[in-house]
Amino acid sequence: MEKNELYEEAKRLLEICRKLGAEHAQVMISGLYNVGTRFGENHITQNVGRKRLNIQIRTQLGQKIGNYAGSKLGENAEQELQNTMTLTKLSADDVEFPGFLQEQPRYPEMTDRYAEVEPEELSAVIGQIVETARGVDSRLETVAGNLNWMSNRTWLLNTHGLEAYNESSTLSGVINVAARENGESRSTLNYGSGSLATLPAEQKAREVAETAVRGLHPKEIDAGKYETILMPGAATALMNFVAFGSSSQGLVNHSSFLKDKLGEQIMDPRISIKDDTLNPDHLAARRFDSDGVPTPEITYIDNGVLKDYAYNLRNAKKLGVDSNGRNFTGFQGEMPMFFSPHVTTGSKDLDTIISEVDDGVVITNLFYNNFVNAPEGLCTGLTRDGLFRIEKGEITHSLKNMRWTDSILSIFGSAEPARDATQVKGFFFGSAITPPIRTDSFNFSSKGKH
Amino acid sequence: MEDVANQVFSTLGDKPGFQLAQIRFVAMREENLSYRNGLPFNCANLRESGTGVRVRVDNSWGFAATDSMERQDVIDTALRAFKVAKASAQVSRKPSVELAPEPIYKDSYSVRIDKDPFDIDIKDKMELLRDANQATRDASEHIRMAISNYRSRDTRVHFFSSEGSVIDQRLMFTGGSMQAVAISGAETQTRNLQNFKSRGWEAWEEFDPIATAATSGEEATILATKAEKCPSGKSTFILEPYQLGLTIHESCGHPSELDRVLGYEADFAGTSWLTPEKLNNLQYGNDKINITQNPAMEDVLGHFKYDDEGVQARSVPIVKNGIFVGYQSDREHAAMLGLDRSSGNSKSDGFDSVPIIRMNNMFLEADTSDEGFADIDALVEDTRDGIYGLQWKSHSIDDKRLNFQFATQIGYKIENGEITTPLKNVTYQAITPEFWGACSGLTRTSKIYGLPYCGKGSPNMQIGYVSHGGPWGRFEDVNVGITG
């Protein structure tokens, strides 16, 4: 659907809510265009083209609230929204509901971009990736990955007159390469971009292929604490935990390891993180959140000091503060979070940082990371696709994977970012821009088997 | 719908390279109701309907979806799927592979629904949730957060294949969760009890929400006020069916998915240590271990009669007497390995998701021999010292599914054959075949739980609905109490 068609549909749905008896209502409608291509063993295995609407409607009657989520409503809209109004009427008062925004905010400037690509264009890029990666070394046997184009046009309207519009197109992907010589070594690289033209596909393919070759013939190390360099993929994985910890949801649910730490020095003074929401290269770039609140850039870790949590209107009301526009709403509920972290770079380049490590490791990626106990920030996971030993300032050989179990605040308690940052597609949030980060101590709790 | 499907098949049938088309018309509705700390919270209706068309052209797949079931939209979407398949063929598999054969079916099926949850007055549902939420909060003054949730999903799928299958299925699940957060001093602890079944309202009644909610509050209070820290070291370790199911899910379920095994999940979920040469040759566990996947089992979450390729669900052994004997597959991956038939594990999570290999219902068989213990009491009585762990708190496993580390919500010491002190933050870590090789006892009784959250697939992750469980199981020399 075009921008004006989406707008008219949102207006129609608001009018139906009013007609059905809602005092107020809010509609968020997104038109999605998606081409997602997946490849493995050097060929395309899945290829998906989707066009659909995503609609979220909230109806209000006093302090009673009902929600609708789903696909195109069409001629059934009145009947479906009648069910939502029934749910609204029969609900008890939700005294924590903050209401909808009653004034039109002034949204920050951001470059809009919307485009649609054809599946053949993504397939051609994948062909280049496979060919480039395999061409790096004769031991590179198989290439896997995916490439995903997502374009969205989104309107948020409410019956108080709020109107907000955002459009975006993003490209993100993964390349996984396997090298084999008396065993297998894989390497994985996640990346994102705003367009096909700026996608550094061949450069990334070469980079990941070279890492896979370097990973051949791994040796073992013992469990224990190691001085560690977290490459951008690994650092981003740990930023997920910081994102969860700094969500006000964790304050309300008593699950955050950053609860009651506002204003405290929680990380090394060399670490600063901002939520770079307005950078259109970020996969979650936006100028307003799902409450319609503007999303300014926020530095939430400033020289290691916790400066802010991510709020939505509901949690902000409950906690007695103003929302800073970080809400994300899905069918299962709301989750305010800093979705676009950008870690400030340091003064030294990566080679210099490596040269200063006498005995340590380099972690390319971390895998299946999870809280062991969220309120204390104790986490676990594994290295994946590229663990290397540093001896006397040089990377000497690859290592078998290790399980890590450590406290996030301990890892970043004495840590130094390198100079050059890379954008990495995230998992639970959009994407992160982060340099490699050296930490004095990273705890490996047991050995892996490969 | 059949008329539209036939028009699609005739439209595509004359195009060069066309081999197969599968159309799914999907209409889904869901109700998700919650109370949080005495207030209704995120009560929502979900409605999704649309059409997904999967086309095989020149031995490559294309999939396209639209949130419409109108004739012209479906035909346009099918032509889009054809174009996408042609694009896939630009980087195609060499040599190509045929699909494993499957009979043609014309059938209509519904899961058992004694009481349709969508016919129950929403007022009654909300009152029950409110009372359950209060039961959690009444457990003690330490309860700081109580969340009570009810969900039911009703999905109607009409499947048409250009090979001739016409299948109409009504799938449903119902259940909920009761969560309590208790705080005492600096100690914050959570207890979350949940279950889901492929049934109607009666599954929610069986869940007994008020009693379950009260238990979650009572046990969260015990965790925050009385539980001791889990000791570190090697221990005999007993798991109840829920957490045993989670262990099966991660260490047997995912590594036996044939797409992972053959390298097609390498970009996201990883690969597998259960490589093809190990089929029928690997000692996965000791001879007590029999693991079966069976989505045809009625009532359990994830149950269906036909998968999203029109393959009939059936029981397939994965581990038999400790030997690894089977994979979960779809038609293409089964053919790649030379298997004569798909195991029927091809599923998608909605009209606009492409079918992928998913586990659905996988469980450890109870020990019905004379060696089997009558129940958990008999198993504990036979255990001199150890730890008993219950329900999932945290999970992590490597990309080949060998090194796992899980945490349970609550645990208990076992001393001289009796359950004694409650334990908090219980963790256990093991290597998959070593863990299953160290099983020293199973009960004859068993239970299966439903879990509506399993993420797989890329670049757009899909959510699967799975069931797992089995007997209570005892394992020797397990690493417990892992710390940072």
Side-chain angles (χ1 to χ4, degrees):
Chain A
M1 268 188 172
E2 297 297 320
K3 179 181 178 181
N4 60 335
E5 294 175 297
L6 287 167
Y7 177 80
E8 292 303 324
E9 178 65 359
K11 294 283 276 187
R12 180 180 81 95
L13 296 173
L14 279 181
E15 284 165 16
I16 291 173
C17 292
R18 283 284 213 186
K19 180 182 162 191
L20 294 172
E23 280 178 19
H24 284 288
Q26 182 161 290
V27 172
M28 179 134 97
I29 185 166
S30 294
L32 167 73
Y33 176 91
N34 172 222
V35 179
T37 307
R38 197 172 197 197
F39 53 108
E41 298 290 301
N42 306 325
H43 64 271
I44 292 174
T45 57
Q46 291 169 20
N47 215 342
V48 173
R50 297 188 297 159
K51 286 182 184 176
R52 60 165 294 172
L53 294 184
N54 287 303
I55 299 172
Q56 293 176 4
I57 299 173
R58 179 166 285 179
T59 50
Q60 178 187 1
L61 204 55
Q63 284 299 113
K64 297 173 191 278
I65 306 302
N67 294 288
Y68 168 89
S71 54
K72 185 165 70 181
L73 275 164
E75 293 172 3
N76 296 329
E78 194 159 328
Q79 183 188 333
E80 296 295 351
L81 291 174
Q82 183 62 60
N83 292 333
T84 304
M85 279 309 299
T86 303
L87 179 65
T88 309
K89 288 172 185 168
L90 292 174
S91 289
D93 280 354
D94 176 358
V95 297
E96 292 179 356
F97 176 63
F100 303 123
L101 280 187
Q102 297 189 23
E103 293 179 2
Q104 175 73 40
R106 185 185 175 94
Y107 293 115
E109 290 296 316
M110 194 182 87
T111 309
D112 277 337
R113 57 186 179 204
Y114 182 93
E116 296 181 355
V117 301
E118 292 301 318
E120 304 92 285
E121 295 177 80
L122 295 195
S123 296
V125 174
I126 288 165
Q128 288 171 2
I129 288 171
V130 171
E131 190 178 335
T132 303
R134 294 192 71 196
V136 166
D137 191 288
S138 60
R139 291 167 291 183
L140 291 162
E141 293 190 0
T142 59
V143 186
N146 62 65
L147 200 54
N148 197 36
W149 182 272
M150 296 276 271
S151 290
N152 267 297
R153 292 188 176 105
T154 301
W155 276 105
L156 179 70
L157 274 68
N158 73 27
T159 49
H160 294 292
L162 176 90
E163 293 187 355
Y165 177 74
N166 196 68
E167 62 182 38
S168 66
S169 288
T170 59
L171 182 61
S172 62
V174 177
I175 308 173
N176 176 286
V177 179
R180 295 191 180 97
E181 186 178 69
N182 299 322
E184 180 182 272
S185 163
R186 282 188 181 268
S187 190
T188 301
L189 193 148
N190 292 355
Y191 59 98
S193 175
S195 71
L196 268 173
T198 57
L199 184 75
E202 292 185 23
Q203 175 204 327
K204 296 293 180 186
R206 268 191 296 276
E207 195 178 314
V208 70
E210 287 163 0
T211 306
V213 171
R214 281 200 304 273
L216 286 166
H217 314 299
K219 298 179 180 176
E220 284 194 1
I221 54 170
D222 292 328
K225 294 183 187 298
Y226 289 83
E227 185 173 2
T228 295
I229 294 173
L230 302 158
M231 294 302 285
T236 297
L238 299 181
M239 287 302 152
N240 277 315
F241 293 111
V242 180
F244 275 108
S246 55
S247 168
S248 58
Q249 200 72 6
L251 310 183
V252 171
N253 290 343
H254 307 283
S255 60
S256 170
F257 64 98
L258 296 180
K259 188 166 178 265
D260 301 326
K261 292 193 185 302
L262 199 64
E264 290 186 18
Q265 187 83 41
I266 60 166
M267 293 183 184
D268 191 295
R270 290 170 288 188
I271 301 288
S272 292
I273 310 173
K274 65 179 177 182
D275 192 32
D276 200 12
T277 330
L278 302 172
N279 179 347
D281 285 341
H282 267 304
L283 302 185
R286 53 185 178 171
R287 57 168 67 86
F288 59 89
D289 72 355
S290 58
D291 289 327
V293 176
T295 54
E297 179 184 300
I298 293 174
T299 298
Y300 55 101
I301 308 281
D302 189 8
N303 295 317
V305 176
L306 179 64
K307 290 287 191 183
D308 211 346
Y309 298 106
Y311 293 102
N312 55 6
L313 284 175
R314 175 180 283 273
N315 291 347
K317 179 185 177 188
K318 186 175 176 64
L319 298 168
V321 298
D322 291 330
S323 171
N324 51 18
R326 262 53 196 175
N327 202 24
F328 174 81
T329 304
F331 172 61
Q332 302 270 2
E334 298 176 312
M335 185 67 181
M337 195 179 274
F338 295 121
F339 283 96
S340 305
H342 188 145
V343 181
T344 303
T345 52
S347 58
K348 301 172 190 167
D349 64 23
L350 178 61
D351 288 343
T352 303
I353 287 183
I354 290 172
S355 72
E356 291 173 354
V357 175
D358 186 56
D359 181 9
V361 300
V362 175
I363 301 174
T364 308
N365 285 302
L366 294 170
F367 181 72
Y368 221 130
N369 309 295
N370 212 332
F371 282 111
V372 175
N373 191 29
E376 63 175 310
L378 184 67
C379 305
T380 192
L382 295 117
T383 64
R384 177 186 181 180
D385 300 339
L387 178 63
F388 299 95
R389 189 71 189 261
I390 306 173
E391 294 170 306
K392 295 187 174 22
E394 289 188 358
I395 294 175
T396 51
H397 55 82
S398 66
L399 297 168
K400 287 190 176 181
N401 285 306
M402 299 291 288
R403 171 170 291 287
W404 68 277
T405 305
D406 210 336
S407 151
I408 290 299
L409 296 185
S410 167
I411 293 167
F412 290 116
S414 181
E416 175 186 19
R419 196 168 59 198
D420 301 313
T422 305
Q423 184 183 2
V424 181
K425 172 195 171 192
F427 185 172
F428 290 110
F429 55 90
S431 58
I433 298 176
T434 179
I437 300 174
R438 185 193 60 78
T439 171
D440 283 356
S441 174
F442 191 83
N443 184 55
F444 289 128
S445 52
S446 62
K447 291 183 181 183
K449 283 285 182 184
H450 66 283
Chain B
M1 289 178 187
E2 188 163 6
D3 183 42
V4 176
N6 286 334
Q7 188 172 348
V8 166
F9 298 147
S10 64
T11 302
L12 296 179
D14 294 335
K15 290 188 168 292
F18 172 79
Q19 294 164 301
L20 171 69
Q22 297 164 339
I23 304 174
R24 284 179 299 117
F25 297 96
V26 181
M28 187 249 285
R29 58 179 175 163
E30 178 170 336
E31 198 167 61
N32 190 333
L33 307 175
S34 296
Y35 255 76
R36 186 174 79 169
N37 275 3
L39 298 173
F41 177 67
N42 189 42
C43 298
N45 294 315
L46 175 73
R47 297 287 186 278
E48 291 261 317
S49 63
T51 309
V53 184
R54 191 177 183 220
V55 176
R56 192 161 172 85
V57 179
D58 295 336
N59 294 304
S60 293
W61 288 111
F63 177 85
T66 173
D67 52 0
S68 169
M69 296 188 188
E70 299 297 321
R71 179 182 299 269
Q72 194 55 50
D73 290 337
V74 174
I75 291 169
D76 290 347
T77 301
L79 291 170
R80 176 85 174 157
F82 186 90
K83 179 181 168 72
V84 174
K86 279 284 188 187
S88 300
Q90 289 173 230
V91 190
S92 63
R93 186 179 195 275
K94 294 179 181 61
S96 61
V97 65
E98 299 297 319
L99 304 183
E102 183 68 16
I104 303 303
Y105 303 100
K106 295 187 187 297
D107 198 1
S108 181
Y109 179 74
S110 172
V111 303
R112 184 177 152 197
I113 303 166
D114 293 346
K115 296 181 191 172
D116 190 328
F118 293 86
D119 290 343
I120 304 292
D121 192 326
I122 199 165
K123 190 176 176 189
D124 296 339
K125 293 173 185 166
M126 295 298 286
E127 286 177 359
L128 188 50
L129 270 176
R130 180 198 61 203
D131 294 347
N133 198 252
Q134 191 59 45
T136 300
R137 301 172 81 203
D138 286 345
S140 80
E141 71 275 16
H142 297 284
I143 301 299
R144 298 285 293 278
M145 178 62 68
I147 302 175
S148 314
N149 172 255
Y150 158 86
R151 275 182 81 186
S152 186
R153 175 177 284 196
D154 184 9
T155 307
R156 192 78 182 262
V157 183
H158 288 88
F159 173 88
F160 299 91
S161 163
S162 59
E163 294 171 315
S165 283
V166 178
I167 300 166
D168 165 24
Q169 291 189 93
R170 186 182 181 191
L171 308 173
M172 174 177 281
F173 72 74
T174 305
S177 63
M178 299 294 150
Q179 183 179 346
V181 179
I183 297 180
S184 176
E187 192 66 48
T188 301
Q189 289 287 338
T190 301
R191 193 78 171 95
N192 186 8
L193 299 169
Q194 62 175 320
N195 200 12
F196 294 83
K197 287 187 172 182
S198 286
R199 292 287 301 275
W201 178 254
E202 62 276 9
W204 177 244
E205 291 177 325
E206 284 172 25
F207 182 56
D208 199 351
I210 293 177
T212 305
T215 302
S216 75
E218 290 158 8
E219 294 188 349
T221 302
I222 290 170
L223 281 164
T225 59
K226 296 180 185 168
E228 293 182 0
K229 189 177 162 190
C230 178
S232 293
K234 297 269 188 185
S235 175
T236 297
F237 196 63
I238 292 178
L239 286 173
E240 48 71 53
Y242 191 104
Q243 184 62 19
L244 191 72
L246 188 277
T247 311
I248 292 165
H249 177 98
E250 301 292 359
S251 71
C252 185
H254 282 307
S256 60
E257 294 163 344
L258 201 44
D259 51 351
R260 290 185 67 116
V261 172
L262 298 178
Y264 297 106
E265 274 283 333
D267 59 318
F268 178 56
T271 56
S272 173
W273 70 291
L274 295 175
T275 42
E277 76 282 2
K278 296 190 176 81
L279 188 66
N280 300 315
N281 294 314
L282 172 76
Q283 193 76 43
Y284 177 89
N286 65 27
D287 60 7
K288 293 182 184 300
I289 304 304
N290 291 281
I291 298 176
T292 303
Q293 81 95 22
N294 185 12
M297 181 185 284
E298 293 183 11
D299 296 349
V300 301
L301 187 64
H303 162 60
F304 51 82
K305 188 171 179 183
Y306 301 94
D307 75 2
D308 286 337
E309 289 188 310
V311 174
Q312 189 164 25
R314 62 198 166 99
S315 174
V316 174
I318 305 297
V319 177
K320 197 166 180 60
N321 299 324
I323 305 295
F324 168 57
V325 296
Y327 286 114
Q328 303 168 84
S329 64
D330 60 12
R331 293 179 64 187
E332 183 178 43
H333 292 85
M336 284 181 193
L337 204 65
L339 304 175
D340 57 6
R341 193 179 173 203
S342 162
S343 66
N345 286 84
S346 184
K347 289 291 287 180
S348 67
D349 72 350
F351 74 85
D352 62 341
S353 296
V354 65
I356 56 176
I357 296 175
R358 298 307 303 251
M359 75 178 99
N360 298 285
N361 172 38
M362 182 176 284
F363 55 91
L364 181 66
E365 305 272 4
D367 186 350
T368 54
S369 74
D370 292 343
E371 290 182 9
F373 292 89
D375 53 26
I376 177 61
D377 294 339
L379 185 59
V380 168
E381 194 178 327
D382 185 67
T383 305
R384 181 176 165 77
D385 292 299
I387 291 171
Y388 178 32
L390 296 94
Q391 267 103 23
W392 163 83
K393 180 176 181 180
S394 164
H395 58 294
S396 172
I397 188 164
D398 71 52
D399 57 321
K400 288 185 187 291
R401 303 272 152 177
L402 274 164
N403 180 322
F404 63 75
Q405 182 171 311
F406 303 138
T408 69
Q409 288 179 25
I410 191 168
Y412 295 92
K413 275 186 188 171
I414 299 171
E415 296 172 299
N416 298 314
E418 290 187 0
I419 288 176
T420 60
T421 312
L423 299 171
K424 61 189 174 188
N425 304 336
V426 173
T427 51
Y428 61 106
Q429 181 273 327
I431 301 300
T432 296
E434 294 171 8
F435 179 81
W436 293 108
C439 179
S440 63
L442 300 172
T443 59
R444 291 195 283 274
T445 49
S446 65
K447 189 168 181 183
I448 289 180
Y449 288 91
L451 183 73
Y453 309 99
C454 170
K456 187 183 172 187
S458 186
N460 298 305
M461 191 168 74
Q462 300 185 36
I463 303 300
Y465 310 99
V466 296
S467 283
H468 299 294
W472 283 254
R474 185 176 66 193
F475 302 84
E476 302 298 332
D477 292 323
V478 178
N479 289 322
V480 298
I482 316 301
T483 57

